[in-house]
């Protein structure tokens, strides 16, 4: 019995009795090979070489394009992991399929945002940078002025008006404080006179021998208390008007003055920077800085001129309003005080009517909700 030589099963090629390759087996082999290859690889590009152990001849099989009907896809045995799926998806995003159906891979690179899209964080950082630079320049200008090294822009006429306004404000505040003290003391005196008049009236009823004397004193104290309440109403009206003038009207003007002074410091700071740059050399590096400094200087100069005009206008209107208000209030205060200490009750009441001052009826409280119903 002849001994068979070992053969590689993968290299066995069935032949017919005439020694030719069986075509049916070749077609079946091609079909199986197509199923096992990836879908993107054509059979026309495949070459298979078989080597036999007992055969010195090397057999090469070239497979042409497959002409048969497509077979149904084989079910996948293993599902790819999440990492592999993410990698495939990333690779697939880099592929661009043109109209011809062939895929070309594009180079991935950094994403460049358009100029229209602005980052809010970058805008805030830019605002902080500008604010820091402006604060530094203004602080340097203030220190230079205090040390006597820096120059400052001075409007002599406007500065004189501002100094007068601040001095007048202090004096008006002093008058307001004294008037409030007088009002407090007068209120206590009126309250004491009212209590004293009630005590005299009670004794006039209980002391028959001194009935008339106690009665006269009771009427006098009640009349003084009534006139004191009238004078107290006039003084409180004077206090309210002066308080409005000092703490609202004048204070609003002084706030505008503070804004004007801040604009003046910024104007001088940028003016100093421009002067320093103009004194230095002019070349390709310094010319852009000089142009930018010139632009900033012009912006702050316009702001300074605007604030100076605003302060001038407000000071003018404030002076007119102050004269009108204080004229009326001083006339009221004088007439009320004179009529009270002269004992002229009619003149005192006429003074309050002249300035449309309404007094609360003494000894009469607000009606309760039962009385109102």
């Amino acid at each position: 019995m002849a001994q068979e030589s070992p053969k590689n099963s993968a290299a066995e090629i069935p032949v017919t009795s005439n020694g030719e390759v069986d075509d049916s087996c070749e077609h079946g082999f091609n079909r199986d090979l197509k199923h096992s290859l990836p879908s993107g690889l054509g059979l026309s590009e495949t070459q298979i070489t078989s080597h036999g152990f007992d055969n010195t001849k090397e057999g090469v099989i070239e497979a042409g394009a497959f002409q048969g009907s497509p077979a149904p896809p084989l079910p996948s045995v293993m599902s790819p992991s999440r990492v592999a799926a993410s990698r495939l998806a990333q690779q697939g995003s880099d592929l661009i399929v043109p109209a011809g159906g062939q895929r070309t891979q594009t180079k991935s690179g950094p994403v460049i945002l358009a100029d229209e899209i602005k980052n809010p964080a970058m805008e805030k950082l830019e605002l902080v940078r500008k604010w820091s630079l402006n604060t530094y320049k203004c602080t340097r200008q203030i220190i230079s002025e205090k040390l006597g090294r820096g120059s400052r822009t001075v409007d002599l006429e406007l500065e004189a008006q501002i100094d007068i306004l601040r001095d007048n404000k202090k004096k008006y505040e002093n008058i307001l404080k004294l008037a409030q003290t007088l009002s407090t003391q007068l209120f206590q005196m009126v309250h004491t006179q009212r209590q004293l008049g009630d005590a005299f009236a009670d004794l006039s009823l209980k002391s028959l021998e001194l009935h008339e004397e106690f009665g006269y004193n009771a009427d006098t104290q009640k009349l003084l208390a009534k006139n004191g309440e009238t004078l107290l109403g006039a003084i409180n009206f004077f206090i309210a008007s002066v308080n409005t003038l000092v703490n609202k009207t004048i204070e609003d003007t002084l706030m505008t003055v503070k804004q004007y002074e801040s604009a003046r410091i910024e104007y001088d700071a940028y003016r100093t920077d421009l002067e320093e740059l103009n004194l230095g050399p002019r070349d390709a590096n310094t010319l852009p800085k000089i142009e930018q400094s010139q632009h900033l200087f012009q912006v702050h100069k316009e702001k300074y001129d605007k604030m100076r005009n605003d302060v001038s206008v407000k000071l003018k209107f404030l002076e007119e309003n102050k004269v009108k208000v204080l004229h009326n209030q001083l006339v009221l205060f004088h007439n009320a005080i004179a009529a009270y200490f002269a004992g002229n009750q009619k003149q005192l009441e006429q003074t309050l009517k002249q300035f449309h001052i309404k007094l609360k009826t003494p000894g009469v409280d607000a009606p309760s909700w039962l009385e109102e119903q």
Side-chain angles (χ1 to χ4, degrees):
M1 185 176 184
Q3 187 179 359
E4 297 179 357
S5 62
K7 297 180 179 179
N8 191 351
S9 59
E12 289 180 359
I13 302 175
V15 295
T16 60
S17 58
N18 295 328
E20 298 177 356
V21 181
D22 192 358
D23 295 334
S24 61
C25 294
E26 182 181 358
H27 290 296
F29 179 77
N30 291 336
R31 183 175 62 251
D32 297 337
L33 183 62
K34 182 175 179 62
H35 291 166
S36 61
L37 291 175
S39 59
L41 186 61
L43 288 177
S44 60
E45 301 173 358
T46 305
Q47 292 184 357
I48 300 176
T49 305
S50 62
H51 301 275
F53 291 96
D54 58 344
N55 212 347
T56 59
K57 184 179 180 180
E58 182 176 339
V60 178
I61 299 176
E62 296 183 358
F66 184 70
Q67 303 295 333
S69 60
L74 296 177
S76 60
V77 178
M78 297 178 61
S79 59
S81 62
R82 295 184 178 179
V83 178
S86 62
R87 290 179 179 176
L88 290 174
Q90 185 176 2
Q91 293 177 0
S93 62
D94 294 337
L95 297 177
I96 301 176
V97 181
Q102 297 180 356
R103 296 186 178 182
T104 58
Q105 188 172 359
T106 60
K107 296 181 180 180
S108 60
V111 180
I112 300 176
L113 297 177
D115 294 338
E116 296 80 15
I117 303 176
K118 296 182 179 180
N119 192 353
M122 297 302 296
E123 292 182 355
K124 291 182 180 179
L125 288 176
E126 183 66 19
L127 291 176
V128 171
R129 188 189 68 83
K130 291 181 179 179
W131 174 84
S132 302
L133 183 61
N134 185 69
T135 304
Y136 164 73
K137 291 184 178 182
C138 294
T139 305
R140 185 183 62 178
Q141 177 66 24
I142 293 173
I143 295 175
S144 299
E145 291 178 2
K146 289 184 177 181
L147 295 177
R149 298 177 181 176
S151 61
R152 63 188 300 263
T153 304
V154 179
D155 189 337
L156 297 178
E157 183 180 358
L158 188 61
E159 293 290 338
Q161 294 178 1
I162 293 174
D163 292 339
I164 292 174
L165 175 63
R166 287 173 174 166
D167 185 61
N168 289 337
K169 184 175 183 291
K170 293 180 180 179
K171 294 179 180 180
Y172 295 154
E173 287 176 345
N174 185 37
I175 291 176
L176 184 62
K177 182 179 179 181
L178 294 175
Q180 290 173 347
T181 303
L182 177 63
S183 175
T184 302
Q185 294 174 352
L186 182 61
F187 174 79
Q188 294 176 354
M189 185 182 72
V190 169
H191 182 68
T192 303
Q193 288 175 342
R194 190 184 298 110
Q195 289 181 340
L196 188 60
D198 294 339
F200 284 151
D202 182 61
L203 289 174
S204 67
L205 296 176
K206 294 181 180 180
S207 300
L208 299 178
E209 299 83 0
L210 300 174
H211 172 72
E212 294 183 359
E213 289 79 359
F214 279 122
Y216 293 153
N217 283 278
D219 294 339
T220 302
Q221 293 300 323
K222 288 181 179 179
L223 180 61
L224 290 174
K226 181 180 179 181
N227 293 338
E229 289 176 349
T230 305
L231 176 63
L232 187 62
I235 293 176
N236 289 336
F237 186 78
F238 171 80
I239 291 173
S241 300
V242 175
N243 181 64
T244 302
L245 176 65
V246 173
N247 294 325
K248 291 186 178 180
T249 308
I250 296 180
E251 187 65 27
D252 178 70
T253 304
L254 290 178
M255 288 296 295
T256 307
V257 170
K258 290 180 180 180
Q259 295 176 2
Y260 157 75
E261 292 176 348
S262 298
R264 197 272 310 166
I265 292 175
E266 292 178 354
Y267 165 70
D268 285 338
Y270 285 93
R271 176 182 56 81
T272 304
D273 284 350
L274 181 60
E275 291 176 354
E276 292 177 355
L277 290 174
N278 288 330
L279 293 176
R282 292 176 175 268
D283 52 16
N285 295 329
T286 58
L287 284 178
K289 295 181 180 180
I290 294 176
E291 292 178 358
Q292 183 180 6
S293 181
Q294 180 69 32
H295 172 70
L296 294 175
F297 166 75
Q298 190 65 28
V299 170
H300 287 86
K301 183 178 184 300
E302 293 176 357
K303 180 180 178 181
Y304 167 72
D305 293 338
K306 179 179 180 301
M307 294 306 303
R308 182 177 58 183
N309 294 333
D310 291 346
V311 171
S312 301
V313 172
K314 281 201 171 186
L315 286 175
K316 180 180 179 181
F317 284 109
L318 174 63
E319 186 66 23
E320 296 176 357
N321 188 24
K322 181 190 70 174
V323 171
K324 181 179 179 180
V325 170
L326 289 180
H327 172 75
N328 294 332
Q329 296 305 316
L330 291 174
V331 170
L332 165 66
F333 190 83
H334 171 267
N335 293 341
I337 293 291
Y340 173 78
F341 285 101
N344 192 345
Q345 180 183 3
K346 184 177 180 181
Q347 181 65 29
L348 184 60
E349 294 177 351
Q350 186 65 29
T351 301
L352 267 66
K353 290 180 180 179
Q354 179 182 355
F355 292 93
H356 308 285
I357 301 174
K358 294 182 180 180
L359 297 177
K360 182 181 178 181
T361 304
V364 178
D365 298 330
S368 62
W369 61 277
L370 290 175
E371 294 175 348
E372 291 178 354
Q373 291 180 355

